[in-house]
Amino acid sequence: SGSNVSNRSAHGGGAFGVTLMDCLVAGNVSSIYKTSASDASNGGGLDSCLAINCTVVSNTAGTSGGVYDGVYTNCIVWSNASTKDANATPNYSNDVAMAYSCTSPSSEALAAVDLHNIFADPGFKDPSAGNYRLTTASPCCNAGCNFPWMDAAIDLDGNPRIRTRRVDMGAYETTTMGFSIHIK
């Protein structure tokens, strides 16, 4: 919980088969891990993970540079790259279960009304400088799904996980003027 994941790996560039909460997963590369020219790496950011309130950005893989397989809730999966498969979506594979999350492009499976996914720019403060905190105008603010444990949880910056009545998507809870207020 609460860490920045960044490395280079053959399968699941950032993480493979683990549970992550309140994490920033950025700048990872999943390289080719088999000798066949037709094989491609999967999940530059995350592969086969359970992730809650994570921000997965600027990762690269042969297919699905952001997330591949797994379950993702309250996550932002944005600006990832697929280098080998022209038909792959750069942010996610068809095998993901994603709810209350922000990604692109929209797909029929992820656009179901009861999944509450958003397919719009998440509104990061300064992504070119690595600042993936949300602006107050972000569509990801107050758009996540609350869990009971969040009442006492903190985000990646150490702020209360729920600042208003609903949790924000991604690793950071939006703050105003350098402070946060937790209202129950």
Side-chain angles (χ1 to χ4, degrees), residues 45-108:
L46 302 174
D47 188 347
S48 304
C49 292
L50 168 61
I52 301 171
N53 282 99
C54 292
T55 301
V56 182
V57 293
S58 301
N59 300 287
T60 304
T63 59
S64 304
V67 296
Y68 186 88
D69 206 4
V71 178
Y72 306 91
T73 305
N74 296 342
C75 292
I76 299 172
V77 183
W78 198 260
S79 293
N80 297 286
S82 296
T83 59
K84 186 172 175 101
D85 188 347
N87 297 319
T89 52
N91 287 310
Y92 60 88
S93 71
N94 292 332
D95 299 329
V96 300
M98 194 178 292
Y100 291 91
S101 294
C102 177
T103 193
S104 176
S106 175
S107 75
E108 186 176 326

Side-chain angles (χ1 to χ4, degrees), residues 1-4 22-24 154-159 161 171-173:
S1 171
S3 64
N4 181 2
D22 299 308
C23 291
L24 171 62
I154 58 173
D155 71 359
L156 189 55
D157 277 340
N159 296 311
R161 183 69 263 191
Y172 302 100
E173 200 68 17

